[in-house]
Amino acid sequence: MTTRPPAEVGMALEEVDTPALLVDLDAFEANLEQMAQEVAAAGVRLRPHAKMHKCAVIGLKQMALGAVGLCCQKVSEAEAMVMGGIPDVLVSNQVVGAPKLKRLAALAREARIGVCVDDADNTDSVSAAAVDFGAELDVLIEIDVGMGRCGVEAGEPALALARHIDRAPNLNFAGLQAYQGRAQHIRDFSERRAAIEAAAEAAAHAKALIEGDGIECRTITGAGTGTYRFEAASGVYDELQAGSYAFMDGDYARNQDESGGPFQDYRHALFVYATVMSCPTTERAVCDAGLKASSVDCGLPTVVEADLEAEYLGASDEHGLLGLQPSNRPPRIGDKIRLIPGHCDPTVNMYDWYVGVRGGRVETVWPIAARGAIL
Amino acid sequence: MTTRPPAEVGMALEEVDTPALLVDLDAFEANLEQMAQEVAAAGVRLRPHAKMHKCAVIGLKQMALGAVGLCCQKVSEAEAMVMGGIPDVLVSNQVVGAPKLKRLAALAREARIGVCVDDADNTDSVSAAAVDFGAELDVLIEIDVGMGRCGVEAGEPALALARHIDRAPNLNFAGLQAYQGRAQHIRDFSERRAAIEAAAEAAAHAKALIEGDGIECRTITGAGTGTYRFEAASGVYDELQAGSYAFMDGDYARNQDESGGPFQDYRHALFVYATVMSCPTTERAVCDAGLKASSVDCGLPTVVEADLEAEYLGASDEHGLLGLQPSNRPPRIGDKIRLIPGHCDPTVNMYDWYVGVRGGRVETVWPIAARGAIL
């Protein structure tokens, strides 16, 4: 159900009710600018992943800086983005089952829509839905470039599927989805680079096979915030799908950059805002942001307040346990604190509103229109 | 945002779109009956926790079987329950900050509302809000009975706070919140029992101190699905707050019962329904339920399909990786499977609808009115 917004435009930050999802607008805009400059310099296209932000308002800002469209993982996410004004969406995932395929095909009457396949029968189902709605769909083959999840092998199976798509009514073979998800969080820089070099090699091999058969392979797309510079430099990838760069999260910041230091080229722009609700001892305080306010699948959130030395020690459903340094100023009940979530995507998925803040004041409240869009 | 329901009444189970949250109505009703009988036999009251199900429809069913009201953790949850017809709600948690306290006090004009405190200043704020709205609030002291989260010590600090509440305008001192959350998932039966015996002793001590001072201490409340039989048998607890018993989850089923076997006195009634979306190899399949469909903070979900030997090996945002036994019938793309979530509460919090199923057919679709209610 849609919840009430925790803030109103014009409020001081300290007045925002908690838990709330804050966007530091200066940091967010700087992140968008930096990525736009990097992809322009590299001569590749950017198609940021909306599974992270789930918000068409943010997608439009990314497109205004040059992104060619967005990626989504679910038809319902794509619907929310198209309804919010995004004209070009790639569902970078398989879509299975008649109800979803109908909605996908119908959506292709309203916007340019792409989808991924890794199976011939599923391709026929996509084609039948497109024919039924008189729609045209771009179709990419997902190849497994080392992630071990979905996708066909980047050799003869990819070629066979390309031929199949090429013959299927109302489908346009558009290229290869070559996302190496497992590489995104390899901490070591060289290992991470090696994983993407292998992925690029596999993708180039599949493309050569397919084009050798006379089928044009327009686009090789993939990459995430952990690896996009390698894909951009590969000479193989045409399009990058990074999403988390817009906000950053605790997990990506634990990757190592080329010098061996933490990857800090993007600023933390997303925070869970929380209130201290109990101070039972000098070593312990409790805030109101637990498992239903910050996803812990990639680690606990981190406390970031200049004058509070506190460690987030554990999450229960609605509580976050904070360990305190007795030497420091202790927090008081009612104090508000910012947390960096361990993993943006599932954290954002718990909220209906972003509270955009600049200079200590609420400047905007954006609806997270694709919150809960899993169908 | 509110999402479309994944099912319509009358559909066959196999037609339900995925991911969806299924309630096996036979199992669910049996669970509600069993707990109602147990608390009646023990001579204690049941006040089930709505932070788990977040659904007033379910709360009304619990009350029809004798529950005296519900617990909530958040004011917004309590609002959703009262709007849905629940006349008596205990917010078993501290409420901090003027916006929430206003709503709490206003809600007490519409229903009987209780709240917990562990701080004198916060008590004054609760009292001021109650006075402002001309409302009366029941106030319980949260005592720390071994959880190490919120709560005052169950000795002189509890007595001092009871005196403070007793003097505060528009507040009725109603008793002690004595929840031992840490004990809920202690696997060993005897250790779990010992933790609750210690909690009951601490609560009885605090009550004796307070009543020795001439302040009536009507209720000692607490307990969860992992321990409620110990609290019921303690002679100390008057009210039980178990919630997960209605659905059960993977984590509670891993507790040991008295015989050393798994705790299976309640049936799994909650399932994440998922579709197989990719079958890349004979050892591996991928379903469409990942981190945004099942919370993994208490372990991965478990596959339960009689004719499918598959293990849920890992979750990414929108994918669940299934390891297959090559000796068995392999799944096919489009097959639908049921998963038991590791932890009900944060899983339910991702969905807007329960799909109630009986005999393979959708019988009802209930709104999860307090989904996302964290304010």
Side-chain angles (χ1 to χ4, degrees):
Chain A
M1 304 295 138
T2 306
T3 53
R4 67 160 60 72
E8 280 175 38
V9 168
M11 269 184 175
L13 171 60
E14 295 71 28
E15 293 178 84
V16 173
D17 205 0
T18 66
L21 205 51
L22 303 181
V23 176
D24 175 331
L25 293 171
D26 287 335
F28 163 74
E29 289 167 7
N31 290 347
L32 260 48
E33 287 282 357
Q34 169 159 345
M35 181 61 85
Q37 285 167 18
E38 284 195 46
V39 295
V44 293
R45 304 192 297 271
L46 178 65
R47 182 183 286 278
H49 220 304
K51 81 184 178 76
M52 193 283 284
H53 59 62
K54 290 180 165 284
C55 175
V57 181
I58 292 176
L60 289 171
K61 290 181 190 298
Q62 291 172 316
M63 293 196 70
L65 290 174
V68 295
L70 297 180
C71 293
C72 288
Q73 291 293 71
K74 300 283 184 171
V75 178
S76 51
E77 273 180 354
E79 287 170 334
M81 294 306 116
V82 170
M83 307 299 167
I86 304 295
D88 186 334
V89 175
L90 168 61
V91 179
S92 58
N93 202 1
Q94 290 69 37
V95 175
V96 173
K100 292 187 180 79
L101 287 171
K102 276 186 204 175
R103 288 163 37 221
L104 183 77
L107 197 63
R109 302 287 305 240
E110 302 193 51
R112 175 158 205 160
I113 301 293
V115 66
C116 295
V117 298
D118 68 356
D119 177 79
D121 288 347
N122 178 240
T123 303
D124 292 342
S125 303
V126 175
S127 172
V131 170
D132 187 28
F133 279 85
E136 295 277 324
L137 283 161
D138 287 340
V139 176
L140 290 88
I141 297 173
E142 179 163 4
I143 54 174
D144 183 355
V145 291
M147 181 162 49
R149 198 172 66 184
C150 304
V152 298
E153 203 189 299
E156 291 297 330
L159 173 59
L161 194 50
R163 289 177 178 147
H164 194 92
I165 297 165
D166 199 44
R167 289 191 301 266
N170 293 49
L171 305 187
N172 309 312
F173 175 66
L176 301 174
Q177 166 77 10
Y179 176 62
Q180 217 310 12
R182 198 172 280 179
Q184 299 308 312
H185 299 283
I186 296 175
R187 299 301 178 211
D188 182 77
F189 182 84
S190 308
E191 268 184 64
R192 210 159 65 240
R193 181 170 56 191
I196 298 306
E197 283 169 354
E201 199 178 318
H205 171 62
K207 178 177 175 169
L209 268 182
I210 292 166
E211 298 214 318
D213 201 56
I215 301 171
E216 193 196 0
C217 184
R218 287 201 313 272
T219 295
I220 295 182
T221 181
T225 296
T227 65
Y228 73 92
R229 285 177 184 159
F230 307 132
E231 283 93 342
S234 67
V236 172
Y237 284 81
D238 307 288
E239 209 173 80
L240 308 182
Q241 303 182 349
S244 299
Y245 76 93
F247 289 156
M248 281 299 283
D249 55 29
D251 201 29
Y252 273 122
R254 287 187 279 272
N255 276 357
Q256 286 175 5
D257 67 11
E258 192 158 13
S259 71
F263 179 61
Q264 297 183 327
D265 293 1
Y266 291 86
R267 293 167 60 184
H268 287 295
L270 186 79
F271 300 90
V272 171
Y273 202 42
T275 298
V276 174
M277 54 184 283
S278 180
C279 296
T281 75
T282 51
E283 284 93 41
R284 188 172 85 222
V286 181
C287 74
D288 63 354
L291 295 173
K292 293 177 189 169
S294 191
S295 185
V296 301
D297 60 275
C298 291
L300 294 171
T302 318
V303 180
V304 276
E305 288 301 325
D307 58 347
L308 176 63
E309 212 169 312
E311 192 184 355
Y312 192 105
L313 296 175
S316 41
D317 285 329
E318 291 86 2
H319 298 85
L321 188 64
L322 306 177
L324 306 175
Q325 295 299 328
S327 55
N328 276 53
R329 182 188 71 78
R332 282 173 308 189
I333 291 175
D335 282 359
K336 292 183 179 172
I337 61 173
R338 291 178 312 150
L339 309 173
I340 296 173
H343 187 187
C344 284
D345 305 43
T347 298
V348 167
N349 192 44
M350 300 182 202
Y351 290 85
D352 291 305
W353 308 98
Y354 289 117
V355 178
V357 176
R358 196 185 322 260
R361 213 164 79 124
V362 175
E363 186 171 301
T364 186
V365 178
W366 294 329
I368 305 177
R371 193 287 313 160
I374 49 173
L375 294 184
Chain B
M1 303 294 139
T2 306
T3 54
R4 69 160 60 72
E8 280 175 37
V9 168
M11 268 185 176
L13 170 60
E14 296 71 27
E15 293 178 85
V16 173
D17 206 359
T18 66
L21 205 51
L22 303 181
V23 176
D24 175 333
L25 293 170
D26 287 336
F28 163 73
E29 289 168 6
N31 290 346
L32 260 49
E33 287 282 357
Q34 169 160 345
M35 181 61 86
Q37 285 167 17
E38 284 195 47
V39 296
V44 293
R45 304 191 297 271
L46 178 66
R47 183 183 286 279
H49 220 305
K51 81 184 179 75
M52 193 283 283
H53 59 62
K54 289 180 165 283
C55 174
V57 181
I58 292 177
L60 289 171
K61 290 180 191 298
Q62 292 172 315
M63 293 197 70
L65 289 174
V68 296
L70 297 180
C71 293
C72 288
Q73 291 291 72
K74 299 283 184 170
V75 178
S76 50
E77 274 180 353
E79 287 170 333
M81 295 305 116
V82 170
M83 308 299 165
I86 304 294
D88 186 335
V89 175
L90 167 62
V91 179
S92 56
N93 203 1
Q94 290 69 39
V95 174
V96 173
K100 292 188 180 79
L101 286 171
K102 276 185 203 175
R103 289 163 36 221
L104 183 78
L107 198 63
R109 302 288 305 240
E110 302 194 50
R112 176 159 204 159
I113 301 293
V115 66
C116 295
V117 298
D118 68 356
D119 178 80
D121 288 346
N122 179 241
T123 302
D124 292 342
S125 303
V126 175
S127 171
V131 169
D132 187 28
F133 279 86
E136 296 277 325
L137 282 162
D138 287 341
V139 175
L140 290 88
I141 296 173
E142 179 163 5
I143 53 174
D144 183 355
V145 291
M147 181 161 50
R149 198 172 66 185
C150 304
V152 298
E153 204 190 301
E156 291 298 329
L159 173 59
L161 194 50
R163 287 177 179 147
H164 195 92
I165 296 165
D166 198 45
R167 288 192 302 266
N170 294 48
L171 304 188
N172 309 312
F173 175 66
L176 301 174
Q177 167 76 10
Y179 176 61
Q180 215 312 9
R182 197 172 279 180
Q184 299 307 313
H185 298 283
I186 297 176
R187 299 300 178 212
D188 181 78
F189 182 86
S190 307
E191 269 184 64
R192 210 159 65 243
R193 180 171 56 193
I196 299 306
E197 284 169 355
E201 198 177 318
H205 170 63
K207 178 177 175 168
L209 268 182
I210 292 166
E211 296 214 318
D213 202 57
I215 301 172
E216 192 196 1
C217 184
R218 286 202 312 271
T219 294
I220 295 182
T221 181
T225 295
T227 64
Y228 73 92
R229 285 177 185 159
F230 307 131
E231 282 93 342
S234 67
V236 171
Y237 283 81
D238 307 287
E239 209 172 81
L240 308 182
Q241 303 182 349
S244 298
Y245 77 93
F247 289 156
M248 282 298 283
D249 56 28
D251 200 28
Y252 273 122
R254 286 187 279 272
N255 275 357
Q256 286 175 5
D257 66 11
E258 192 157 13
S259 71
F263 179 60
Q264 296 183 329
D265 293 0
Y266 291 86
R267 293 167 60 186
H268 287 296
L270 187 79
F271 300 91
V272 171
Y273 202 42
T275 298
V276 174
M277 54 184 285
S278 180
C279 296
T281 76
T282 52
E283 283 92 43
R284 186 172 87 222
V286 181
C287 75
D288 63 353
L291 294 172
K292 293 177 189 168
S294 192
S295 184
V296 302
D297 60 274
C298 292
L300 295 171
T302 317
V303 180
V304 278
E305 288 301 325
D307 59 346
L308 176 64
E309 212 168 313
E311 192 183 355
Y312 193 105
L313 296 175
S316 42
D317 284 330
E318 291 87 2
H319 298 86
L321 188 64
L322 306 177
L324 306 175
Q325 294 300 328
S327 55
N328 277 52
R329 182 187 73 75
R332 283 174 308 189
I333 291 174
D335 282 359
K336 291 182 178 172
I337 61 173
R338 291 178 311 150
L339 308 172
I340 296 173
H343 187 186
C344 284
D345 305 42
T347 298
V348 167
N349 192 45
M350 299 183 203
Y351 290 86
D352 291 305
W353 307 97
Y354 288 118
V355 178
V357 175
R358 195 183 324 259
R361 214 164 79 124
V362 175
E363 187 171 302
T364 187
V365 178
W366 294 328
I368 305 177
R371 193 286 313 160
I374 47 175
L375 294 184

